Amino acid sequence: MKLNGTHQLLAYTDDVNILGGSIHTLKQNAEALVTATREIGLEVSADKTKYMVMSRDQNVGRIHSVRMDNSTFERVEEFKYLGTTLTNQNSIAEEIKSRLRSGNACYRSVQNLLSSRLLSKNLKIKIYRTIILPLVLYGCETWSLTLREERKLRVFENKVLRRIFGPRRDEVTGDWRRLHNKELIDLYSSPNIVRVIKSRRMRWAGHVACMGEERGVYRVLVGKPEGKRPLGRPRCRWVDNIRMDLQEVGCGYVDWI
């Protein structure tokens, strides 16, 4: 949606996200939103309204406060928008931690089913793929993963698969032991969790590439941020992940956008 002539407001039902390049711009946009909502009989809840500064310098905006109608908005370092955790460092790590917490909670609620001898292995895998996995992979199309985060996701999946397939008796000692990662790969015929993420990410990239220039998502993808990167190794971007995904499937030289 446009606010003050530019696209600075994201709205989905009652979840509204106001964007601004500075505290002053943010205040102006918030005042414009409050004025517009009052005209149709709606009010902005001051208790539920937070604001966050995304900058390398976290002291930016410390001396300022956002006030509206004698109410001061709380400054936070992260918040959830449409189920996704956004942080002031624009890091996906907190979102993945949140997704894994949700996945672990769901796993604990059904672990008795995954251990039951009354259910077949195929049915247990269906429970994992239809109940647990969607919780973990919500919004994964936009993730930019590092090897460390991929390892965390694989550790979580291997834990669930070990519960499904159970232990194995060692042929030499006769003792029961847990399955090794290689054995889990052989038993689990479906693509692992990281491959699922890469597949969904490339599919979403294809959708975005086919969008027109009037779409906000496309403009974000092809836009060039102002300023310079800081010294040191740059963080892996979403576009970098897409290029590596294409190289894995033998399409590394394809100009996809």
Side-chain angles (χ1 to χ4, degrees):
M1 296 179 62
K2 288 188 177 182
L3 193 66
N4 292 336
T6 58
H7 292 269
Q8 296 175 322
L9 188 144
L10 306 176
Y12 183 82
T13 62
D14 61 344
D15 291 323
V16 180
N17 188 6
I18 301 176
L19 309 178
S22 65
I23 297 293
H24 178 69
T25 303
L26 184 65
K27 288 181 180 180
Q28 286 184 329
N29 294 342
E31 290 172 356
L33 176 64
V34 170
T35 302
T37 54
R38 282 177 177 171
E39 293 178 356
I40 57 175
L42 299 178
E43 293 184 1
V44 176
S45 174
D47 295 334
K48 296 181 180 179
T49 304
K50 318 291 181 184
Y51 80 97
M52 183 174 69
V53 177
M54 301 183 70
S55 172
R56 299 189 187 102
D57 183 7
Q58 288 305 299
N59 292 322
V60 173
R62 290 290 183 186
I63 61 176
H64 300 282
S65 61
V66 179
R67 297 179 59 86
M68 191 77 57
D69 293 339
N70 298 324
S71 299
T72 302
F73 298 152
E74 177 188 359
R75 175 171 175 168
V76 296
E77 295 183 355
E78 65 179 50
F79 69 93
K80 275 188 174 292
Y81 182 68
L82 301 182
T84 300
T85 303
L86 305 177
T87 68
N88 57 0
Q89 295 294 320
N90 194 26
S91 172
I92 202 65
E94 292 301 322
E95 168 64 7
I96 292 178
K97 289 180 183 178
S98 175
R99 292 290 105 206
L100 289 176
R101 284 194 296 268
S102 299
N104 278 310
C106 183
Y107 162 71
R108 287 190 293 269
S109 67
V110 299
Q111 63 180 350
N112 290 336
L113 293 176
L114 301 181
S115 303
S116 174
R117 295 184 178 181
L118 301 177
L119 303 180
S120 66
K121 297 291 190 300
N122 289 336
L123 183 56
K124 293 177 183 179
I125 291 176
K126 287 182 179 179
I127 292 175
Y128 165 62
R129 293 185 61 84
T130 58
I131 298 179
I132 302 176
L133 199 59
L135 277 177
V136 179
L137 298 187
Y138 175 79
C140 68
E141 294 86 352
T142 62
W143 290 356
S144 179
L145 298 179
T146 62
L147 292 177
R148 177 181 300 178
E149 289 153 355
E150 289 183 3
R151 193 177 303 114
K152 290 181 180 179
L153 292 165
R154 283 175 174 160
V155 167
F156 168 78
E157 182 173 69
N158 288 343
K159 177 179 67 174
V160 178
L161 294 179
R162 286 190 175 95
R163 174 71 65 170
I164 292 174
F165 293 111
R168 171 174 293 183
R169 187 184 293 273
D170 192 281
E171 298 178 355
V172 178
T173 63
D175 297 331
W176 291 96
R177 61 169 178 82
R178 72 174 193 170
L179 294 172
H180 299 149
N181 292 344
K182 180 64 169 61
E183 294 170 327
L184 290 174
I185 294 174
D186 295 337
L187 291 172
Y188 186 56
S189 57
S190 301
N192 64 52
I193 188 171
V194 175
R195 285 190 174 275
V196 172
I197 294 173
K198 293 180 178 180
S199 174
R200 295 185 182 182
R201 193 162 53 195
M202 286 190 290
R203 183 171 56 188
W204 172 243
H207 288 318
V208 176
C210 293
M211 293 180 181
E213 295 183 357
E214 72 280 358
R215 300 288 295 275
V217 178
Y218 182 86
R219 291 201 303 273
V220 169
L221 177 62
V222 300
K224 302 296 182 182
E226 298 179 356
K228 296 182 179 180
R229 285 189 173 187
L231 297 176
R233 182 180 180 181
R235 289 191 297 180
C236 184
R237 301 169 299 174
W238 183 80
V239 175
D240 298 329
N241 277 150
I242 295 297
R243 291 195 182 100
M244 290 186 289
D245 296 342
L246 291 173
Q247 288 178 355
E248 288 187 13
V249 298
C251 301
Y253 299 98
V254 174
D255 185 11
W256 63 279
I257 190 169

